[in-house]
Amino acid sequence: MSTRSRSLALTSALTATVLLAGCGQSGAADSDSGRRAVAAFYPLAWVTERVAGDDWEVTNLTQPGGEPHDLELGISQTADLDEADVVVFQHDFQPAVDEAVENVSDAVLVDAEEAVELRSIEEQHEGHEDEHADEEQSDDEHAEDDGHDHGDTDPHFWQDPLLMADMADAVAEGLAEVDADGAATYRANAEELRAELEDLDAELTEGLAGCERDTVVVSHEAFGYLERYGVHFEGIAGLTPDAEPTPAVLAELEELIASEGITTVFSERLASLAMAESLASDTGVETAVLDPIEGPGDGDGATDYVALMQQNLAALQQANGC
């Protein structure tokens, strides 16, 4: 082999090694700085990546296609937490993460529960008719039974783009606490992201104005923050997707679908389709997917928060005649 041939072969081998090393870091951004951030689930990871930029390695504890409520931490995820400079999580949303975070001594903790103003369950049901009181009580019982008691607040704040902007500000401050020299960059990234999210907020406001119907039936109550745009959601289950509805709740929903002229029952990508499909079949309406954006599927072609929100907007417009 000539000297030139040996040189080309060595270059190709080194290139292949680099590519393989990059493929081994699933869900993490390339970083030469050695700074690491860990986010508990997709919306938090998306915000953190956008604010941190390329100088941080960002790891999402919830793998693509995984249900964040049910996350159990493995050895590699525990190691990620141990090595993290910043941990972005949401208290009372993932019990396994809450427990692990208590043992993280050195990392800066950014808690979404403290960073954004969560809606109270009472606020979410404010103005609803009194006959749904039994349903609300049933939801609370489900939350206790399935181990996902979220307390008095609705955790799904990322359905509101403006609250996601507030989260970005909090992440910027957490990153700056570790890297003071980069503080201006992180705050500028958060400001740029806020502008993008304000555009999305305006798109939702305009897109859901003047709909023929304003009531939406969904698998579980993950969309309450969208009620700011003039739509109202009724969940088959409660705040968690694996809660089982009572026969009384199903009967009320069947009556609601008939009286409101509802055309669609929405299921979710990460949860069982059975409840939504059964209710739709019993009432003779269509089914469609409304994404809670808790964790995009692997290779579904839409892993950007804004794109997923726009998909949800299009689905709501079609179902509600907007």
Side-chain angles (χ1 to χ4, degrees):
M1 179 182 291
S2 68
T3 301
R4 174 177 172 78
S5 297
R6 285 196 298 271
S7 177
L8 289 173
L10 177 60
T11 300
S12 299
L14 289 172
T15 301
T17 300
V18 171
L19 289 173
L20 287 172
C23 291
Q25 296 185 19
S26 176
D30 294 333
S31 169
D32 295 326
S33 69
R35 289 186 286 270
R36 299 182 177 185
V38 171
F41 57 99
Y42 171 73
L44 303 184
W46 182 82
V47 165
T48 304
E49 289 173 353
R50 290 292 303 269
V51 175
D54 294 334
D55 288 338
W56 285 71
E57 178 183 313
V58 180
T59 300
N60 183 356
L61 292 178
T62 305
Q63 295 298 312
E67 168 54 60
H69 293 86
D70 301 327
L71 177 66
E72 296 293 339
L73 299 180
I75 295 175
S76 64
Q77 294 158 311
T78 302
D80 287 334
L81 286 169
D82 289 339
E83 297 170 359
D85 298 297
V86 173
V87 176
V88 185
F89 74 111
Q90 183 169 354
H91 184 67
D92 277 345
F93 187 68
Q94 295 169 293
V97 176
D98 288 352
E99 181 178 354
V101 163
E102 292 179 0
N103 298 318
V104 175
S105 57
D106 297 331
V108 171
L109 302 181
V110 182
D111 184 355
E113 187 180 57
E114 298 177 357
V116 303
E117 185 176 351
L118 298 178
R119 283 167 55 100
S120 69
I121 302 301
E122 181 179 357
E123 177 186 354
Q124 179 162 312
H125 290 280
E126 186 177 3
H128 294 196
E129 296 182 356
D130 291 339
E131 62 260 26
H132 294 297
D134 291 338
E135 180 181 348
E136 294 175 18
Q137 182 179 357
S138 174
D139 291 343
D140 292 339
E141 290 171 354
H142 291 322
E144 294 172 0
D145 291 343
D146 61 27
H148 299 304
D149 187 356
H150 299 303
D152 297 327
T153 57
D154 180 352
H156 305 89
F157 75 90
W158 53 89
Q159 294 293 335
D160 185 335
L162 299 185
L163 293 181
M164 284 285 276
D166 292 341
M167 189 68 216
D169 291 338
V171 170
E173 296 308 311
L175 299 175
E177 190 172 337
V178 172
D179 175 28
D181 291 341
T185 297
Y186 305 139
R187 289 164 184 156
N189 289 345
E191 184 177 352
E192 180 180 346
L193 184 54
R194 177 175 289 276
E196 184 177 340
L197 292 168
E198 286 175 347
D199 288 342
L200 176 60
D201 173 65
E203 188 176 347
L204 288 164
T205 300
E206 181 180 355
L208 293 175
C211 300
E212 295 176 12
R213 293 168 294 279
D214 62 7
T215 302
V216 184
V217 176
V218 292
S219 290
H220 89 287
E221 294 183 356
F223 304 95
Y225 288 85
L226 288 176
E227 296 198 352
R228 187 164 64 80
Y229 301 104
V231 286
H232 165 61
F233 293 87
E234 291 286 350
I236 301 174
L239 284 173
T240 53
D242 52 355
E244 290 292 333
T246 64
V249 168
L250 293 174
E252 288 180 7
L253 289 174
E254 290 180 7
E255 182 180 347
L256 181 68
I257 290 170
S259 63
E260 297 290 331
I262 292 171
T263 65
T264 308
V265 174
F266 284 102
S267 62
E268 302 171 14
R269 188 169 28 76
L270 296 181
S272 171
L273 306 179
M275 290 189 298
E277 291 181 343
S278 176
L279 180 60
S281 176
D282 290 344
T283 54
V285 300
E286 302 292 326
T287 58
V289 173
L290 203 63
D291 198 331
I293 317 185
E294 296 175 354
D298 191 7
D300 63 1
T303 57
D304 177 74
Y305 166 81
V306 173
L308 291 168
M309 289 289 285
Q310 290 170 332
Q311 288 181 12
N312 279 352
L313 171 59
L316 290 171
Q317 287 176 314
Q318 181 173 349
N320 281 26
C322 305

